[in-house]
Amino acid sequence: MKKNYIKIFDTTLRDGEQSPGCSMNLEEKLRMAHQLARLNVDIIEAGFPIASQGDFEAVACLAKEVKGPTIAGLARANKMDIERCFEAIKHAKKPRIHTFISSSDIHLKYQLKKTREQVLEDAAQAVRFAKSFCDDVEFSAMDATRSDRAYLAQMFEIAIAEGAKTVNVPDTVGYTIPSEYFDLISYLMKNVKGIDKVDVSVHCHNDLGLAVANSLAAIQAGATQVECTVNGIGERAGNCSMEEVVMTLSVRNDLMKFETGIDKKQIYPSSRLLSTITGISVQPNKAIVGENAFAHESGIHQDGVLKHQNTYEIMTPESVGIPRNKLVLGKHSGRHAFRDRLSGLGFSLSETEIDKAFKSFKDLADKKKNVYDEDIMAIVEGGLDEKTQKYELDYVHVESGTAISPKSTVKMKVDGEARESTQSGSGPVDATFMAIRTISKFEGTLDKYVVNAITGGTDAQGEVVVTLTDNGKTVRGNGAHTDIIVASAMAYIQALNRLEFYQVKSVTYTSPSL
């Protein structure tokens, strides 16, 4: 490992998943994990195995199937958590147990109700016990930035002596500022015996909007690992944004002589996939991956960019994998060209999945003048779903206007049997959903309905995300089509299929935010 190499510890699937509305089922976690492997992150924190049977199974599945990155599981500083964690990650080629305990007096007094000495002993025992299962152990001192520095140093020194290979200094509540965090990391680098022989990690939350700035300050002070998430998702205001810290180190390498192993052209595909899975889009002005990140409205800026791109762009869209809305395929394109383009966009599909996506592409090309990379991504992402479907959409017809009551006729198959319903509603989408509910006998609730345009123009595909809840289970469905009513029906039916077939386990413990 190079001296100035910064490890990227991605916790999208653990801390990131704790964002409200961002929980993922096993299939979604696996898809995202394979994309993180293509992104070439160093470590994937796959989950908190003790939290639920579902989380345990997801971590175990990722450990077996995802190649390349280290696969880490989170465990509190007790034997039950650590044993469960190792059981989940043991099949990974490179497993890591990530154990933690609080270090701030406020946490010790009100949460743990233990003395400093008791917590130090718990930390020592936890690392020692984890080390008996796995050589790669990371130790975190939760709420480190509000802890007594001397006590924090003592805790880390004990963890290193017990065999921890990484010590993590979390800003759990997003409280610190860059100069203060720089001083804290510098203090630890000088006052913890053996710290020069391990990785020093930082895990920053964004409550004050400083997670990226704090992480960069920590790197300058000697940190060698950054814990972050795609799109900056995570508890409360989120975590350090992976794409922002990586691209800052890349663009400002003149001042910060550090590098990561990230395949930067996979940044946008990773961001897009996460948004598709969670149904939560990044805000337009989000750095690096936002819709407006490379848009220029000002005439002066437009003039400058046309004359020389670097006048107002410090990086290119292509450098982070953002397509330039360039027409790459059309209705006359063949299957081989389509397969090559899928590969270029970072998709690795089975022959069956390619066949299905190619048919959808041809159908779209017949309806739409220009087919863009974003359209193809939407087709593929919307089509990668469970193999068995109880509900299938056949036909949608709506009547709507200023002088008539909106009405929708929906034909669909339920377990292969054709059914049809015509319903009225407050609008064409509402009427369509009422018809689907009637056919499916769905009695749950529609919690969220989101519409986005995938590309510009009046012939743009509309991407719809719906969130349904029934009997305590909450799922999302996605649909993309040039007709927004059809896209809405597709999303609703996909969510119904997920409610039918996905086994959502109840959570026994709540994973903490480090």
Side-chain angles (χ1 to χ4, degrees):
M1 194 71 68
K2 294 181 180 179
K3 182 180 179 180
N4 291 338
Y5 184 85
I6 303 301
K7 293 181 179 178
I8 297 299
F9 177 111
D10 187 278
T11 186
T12 301
L13 301 180
R14 202 280 299 170
D15 204 338
E17 194 201 16
Q18 292 167 212
S19 297
C22 287
S23 62
M24 307 176 206
N25 57 49
L26 190 151
E27 289 84 356
E28 291 167 338
K29 273 197 166 188
L30 188 59
R31 283 178 62 198
M32 193 67 214
H34 281 304
Q35 178 56 36
L36 292 174
R38 286 190 287 270
L39 183 65
N40 203 35
V41 301
D42 299 280
I43 303 100
I44 295 175
E45 188 166 48
F48 187 38
I50 198 72
S52 70
Q53 181 62 23
D55 216 24
F56 174 86
E57 291 172 0
V59 176
C61 180
L62 266 61
K64 292 175 183 176
E65 296 195 28
V66 179
K67 310 302 179 186
T70 295
I71 304 297
L74 186 67
R76 291 168 299 185
N78 65 61
K79 289 187 175 183
M80 184 171 64
D81 275 37
I82 291 168
E83 287 176 337
R84 189 67 166 162
C85 179
F86 181 69
E87 189 65 25
I89 64 168
K90 66 182 181 181
H91 294 296
K93 187 174 181 180
K94 295 183 287 185
R96 173 181 293 190
I97 294 175
H98 181 192
T99 188
F100 70 94
I101 197 167
S102 292
S103 56
S104 67
D105 287 332
I106 190 170
H107 278 211
L108 268 59
K109 180 178 180 180
Y110 295 105
Q111 186 176 28
L112 299 182
K113 302 184 186 306
K114 291 185 176 183
T115 66
R116 286 187 173 189
E117 291 71 23
Q118 288 174 318
V119 171
L120 288 177
E121 180 57 29
D122 287 346
Q125 290 181 357
V127 175
R128 190 183 313 133
F129 189 62
K131 194 75 175 178
S132 70
F133 292 101
C134 180
D135 185 57
D136 188 355
V137 175
E138 175 173 342
F139 172 77
S140 289
M142 187 158 64
D143 205 24
T145 55
R146 294 193 298 172
S147 301
D148 176 77
R149 288 188 176 187
Y151 179 65
L152 184 64
Q154 185 182 6
M155 181 177 285
F156 283 139
E157 194 165 300
I158 288 172
I160 293 169
E162 293 293 347
K165 288 192 170 184
T166 303
V167 291
N168 182 35
V169 191
D171 184 27
T172 303
V173 292
Y175 178 72
T176 196
I177 63 173
S179 59
E180 181 182 51
Y181 203 41
F182 178 92
D183 288 343
L184 174 59
I185 302 300
S186 299
Y187 172 86
L188 295 171
M189 298 298 292
K190 294 175 183 176
N191 292 279
V192 176
K193 183 180 179 181
I195 200 168
D196 57 319
K197 296 179 175 59
V198 302
D199 279 311
V200 177
S201 184
V202 290
H203 180 115
C204 297
H205 279 264
N206 207 38
D207 297 71
L208 295 175
L210 295 171
V212 172
N214 286 332
S215 298
L216 293 170
I219 289 171
Q220 291 180 307
T224 54
Q225 176 178 290
V226 173
E227 306 194 2
C228 48
T229 61
V230 175
N231 294 343
I233 67 169
E235 287 273 12
R236 305 181 310 279
N239 287 45
C240 173
S241 164
M242 177 279 301
E243 55 275 6
E244 292 178 26
V245 75
V246 167
M247 290 310 295
T248 299
L249 293 177
S250 175
V251 173
R252 293 315 312 269
N253 194 250
D254 58 325
L255 290 181
M256 302 183 71
K257 304 292 185 180
F258 304 96
E259 60 183 79
T260 70
I262 294 296
D263 180 351
K264 294 185 282 293
K265 290 188 178 180
Q266 291 296 328
I267 286 177
Y268 181 73
S270 301
S271 169
R272 176 62 190 242
L273 177 59
L274 182 63
S275 292
T276 298
I277 288 173
T278 62
I280 298 176
S281 301
V282 298
Q283 70 269 28
N285 63 325
K286 168 76 168 65
I288 316 300
V289 293
E291 181 183 341
N292 295 343
F294 296 94
H296 302 277
E297 180 74 16
S298 163
I300 294 174
H301 286 214
Q302 290 173 345
D303 176 69
V305 168
L306 288 171
K307 290 175 178 175
H308 194 285
Q309 194 169 355
N310 287 351
T311 54
Y312 289 99
E313 287 186 358
I314 58 174
M315 61 193 129
T316 66
E318 292 85 357
S319 69
V320 295
I322 298 179
R324 276 287 199 179
N325 283 352
K326 184 175 69 174
L327 179 65
V328 292
L329 295 173
K331 65 180 181 179
H332 300 298
S333 299
R335 193 172 182 278
H336 181 73
F338 183 70
R339 183 203 296 269
D340 285 346
R341 191 62 198 130
L342 289 177
S343 178
L345 290 172
F347 292 108
S348 178
L349 308 182
S350 68
E351 289 301 312
T352 300
E353 290 168 337
I354 290 174
D355 288 342
K356 182 178 179 181
F358 185 63
K359 182 182 182 303
S360 298
F361 160 71
K362 282 291 192 178
D363 290 342
L364 178 63
D366 283 336
K367 300 171 185 174
K368 195 174 186 293
K369 183 178 179 180
N370 295 332
V371 180
Y372 298 102
D373 286 345
E374 293 92 336
D375 293 312
I376 297 170
M377 292 166 72
I379 287 171
V380 177
E381 289 162 356
L384 295 176
D385 206 358
E386 54 274 18
K387 303 298 183 291
T388 305
Q389 296 188 341
K390 180 181 180 71
Y391 305 103
E392 294 182 49
L393 178 66
D394 281 342
Y395 170 89
V396 178
H397 175 78
V398 296
E399 298 177 18
S400 183
T402 57
I404 62 173
S405 176
K407 185 169 62 175
S408 177
T409 299
V410 175
K411 295 180 182 179
M412 52 190 284
K413 290 187 178 73
V414 181
D415 289 327
E417 178 186 339
R419 297 184 187 179
E420 179 178 335
S421 178
T422 299
Q423 299 291 327
S424 297
S426 59
V429 172
D430 184 50
T432 299
F433 286 176
M434 290 295 292
I436 295 173
R437 289 176 70 97
T438 301
I439 294 172
S440 64
K441 297 182 172 58
F442 175 62
E443 296 181 352
T445 60
L446 171 64
D447 298 332
K448 195 172 184 180
Y449 174 74
V450 179
V451 180
N452 295 302
I454 296 172
T455 53
T458 56
D459 65 349
Q461 279 198 101
E463 182 180 48
V464 174
V465 180
V466 300
T467 304
L468 302 181
T469 297
D470 189 34
N471 292 325
K473 298 179 180 180
T474 299
V475 298
R476 288 176 298 276
N478 301 72
H481 199 275
T482 50
D483 187 323
I484 201 65
I485 308 301
V486 176
S488 300
M490 292 168 64
Y492 202 99
I493 288 173
Q494 186 186 72
L496 287 177
N497 280 318
R498 289 180 171 178
L499 275 173
E500 184 70 23
F501 294 105
Y502 286 166
Q503 299 299 314
V504 181
K505 308 291 193 307
S506 60
V507 174
T508 305
Y509 300 102
T510 299
S511 174
S513 169
L514 293 178

